[in-house]
Amino acid sequence: QVQLLESGGGSVQTGGSLRISCAASGKMYRGNCIGWLRQPPGLEREGVAAISVGVGRTYYDDSVKGRFTISYDNEKNMAVLQMNSLKPEDTAMYYCAVHKFCGIDDRWKRVEEYIYWGQGTQVTVSS
């Protein structure tokens, strides 16, 4: 069992930056992935970025490549999503979640395969 608690988020203008964090408690295994997924208003949840615990491999959706950076501190069990050059279309509820193993194909994007979820944190970007 893994519990996840997000923090950070908030409101920012277009072009601004935000940093959201996810504290994980419980046992994480090498090869597990922590992902950031978002759900814009009225739309389905989608994968934004993921990182493989203990391996460090990162994955990004094309819409955020070059703007977002995901990292994971193994000692603190903390995942961070640094978001720069934010756009109004980045407005969403952001969730961190755990995937047992996302290192094959685009499994990290499969929302239904995430097994533990945080409660979410709101990110709002105004034009």
Side-chain angles (χ1 to χ4, degrees):
Q1 184 78 18
V2 176
Q3 293 182 327
L4 304 169
L5 183 63
E6 299 99 336
S7 60
S11 297
V12 68
Q13 291 188 328
T14 297
S17 297
L18 283 173
R19 177 184 174 99
I20 52 179
S21 300
C22 174
S25 60
K27 184 65 176 178
M28 294 285 289
Y29 296 91
R30 181 180 174 88
N32 286 166
C33 287
I34 286 196
W36 285 100
L37 303 98
R38 67 186 179 188
Q39 187 163 16
L43 298 176
E44 294 184 350
R45 205 166 291 188
E46 61 183 10
V48 175
I51 186 166
S52 182
V53 173
V55 176
R57 185 173 180 180
T58 57
Y59 309 85
Y60 295 96
D61 185 73
D62 287 344
S63 65
V64 305
K65 279 181 182 176
R67 300 189 298 121
F68 290 12
T69 302
I70 188 171
S71 60
Y72 184 76
D73 186 322
N74 288 293
E75 291 191 2
K76 296 181 180 179
N77 289 339
M78 177 81 72
V80 173
L81 187 67
Q82 177 66 43
M83 303 180 290
N84 299 327
S85 302
L86 283 161
K87 305 174 181 179
E89 52 263 44
D90 294 319
T91 295
M93 183 70 78
Y94 283 72
Y95 300 89
C96 69
V98 173
H99 192 294
K100 280 190 175 180
F101 181 73
C102 65
I104 298 176
D105 300 324
D106 285 338
R107 292 190 68 176
W108 73 272
K109 285 190 173 182
R110 300 178 188 177
V111 175
E112 68 278 8
E113 292 190 9
Y114 284 84
I115 54 175
Y116 302 115
W117 290 83
Q119 84 289 350
T121 186
Q122 179 68 36
V123 171
T124 302
V125 185
S126 58
S127 57

